[in-house]
Amino acid sequence: MIDRAVIGKSWPVKAIVPEEGALRFFAMATGETNPIYSDVSAARSAGHPGLPVPPTYFFSLELLAPSDSFWLDDLGLPLEKILHAEQSFDYRKMVYAGEGLTIETRISDAYEKKGGLLEFYVREMTIRDSKGAECAILKTTLVVRHG
């Protein structure tokens, strides 16, 4: 049976600054061909103050922000029984290379299906700029299979 007390669990806020080189690499690795994501001149010509953060880059930010512990370990979830069920991105504002960001991570929901054979955990990451404005909210739903 799922422990619903995990809902609301949060981890320390992490700080991160997306760097131009990392953004260029991410754009290349994901096949992004729009030059605004790799060429500062092209980005400025398109009206941006610098290289914009490419779509889905926020997903990788948590990997770049050192963590004191891995959230799956904290919840005691068995890695070998976990499947990635869903990912969503809610973009609130553009973010650019060199901006200071914070990442807030918490469990926003936990529920079960199939009489407890499937447990679902929804992790929400809120990315904020240096003024505290929300830039994006990412939700990751994982399922733990039992039986």
Side-chain angles (χ1 to χ4, degrees):
M1 177 172 267
I2 199 163
D3 180 4
R4 294 187 48 84
V6 300
I7 297 172
K9 180 171 177 48
S10 62
W11 286 264
V13 174
K14 298 296 178 183
I16 191 74
V17 176
E19 299 174 356
E20 284 184 5
L23 296 179
R24 285 188 188 100
F25 180 78
F26 185 86
M28 181 185 70
T30 58
E32 179 60 68
T33 59
N34 188 332
I36 67 166
Y37 296 109
S38 57
D39 182 332
V40 174
S41 296
R44 289 191 175 131
S45 292
H48 299 285
L51 291 182
V53 171
T56 71
Y57 182 77
F58 288 127
F59 184 77
S60 70
L61 284 181
E62 187 179 39
L63 302 174
L64 300 174
S67 176
D68 297 330
S69 62
F70 190 55
W71 72 280
L72 297 174
D73 290 342
D74 283 355
L75 297 179
L77 301 180
L79 191 57
E80 68 278 4
K81 294 186 177 215
I82 293 176
L83 296 172
H84 185 266
E86 185 176 2
Q87 185 73 46
S88 68
F89 300 84
D90 180 3
Y91 299 103
R92 305 286 173 95
K93 96 185 239 329
M94 291 291 291
V95 175
Y96 298 93
E99 280 191 67
L101 305 173
T102 58
I103 303 170
E104 301 168 14
T105 304
R106 71 182 187 88
I107 301 298
S108 61
D109 201 3
Y111 55 94
E112 58 186 42
K113 291 185 178 181
K114 304 273 186 187
L117 291 176
L118 300 174
E119 293 180 351
F120 293 80
Y121 295 87
V122 182
R123 180 192 61 173
E124 191 172 291
M125 289 174 47
T126 302
I127 313 293
R128 296 182 189 277
D129 67 13
S130 61
K131 295 176 183 169
E134 288 181 352
C135 302
I137 298 174
L138 286 65
K139 288 185 181 179
T140 302
T141 303
L142 298 182
V143 60
V144 178
R145 302 169 285 119
H146 295 288

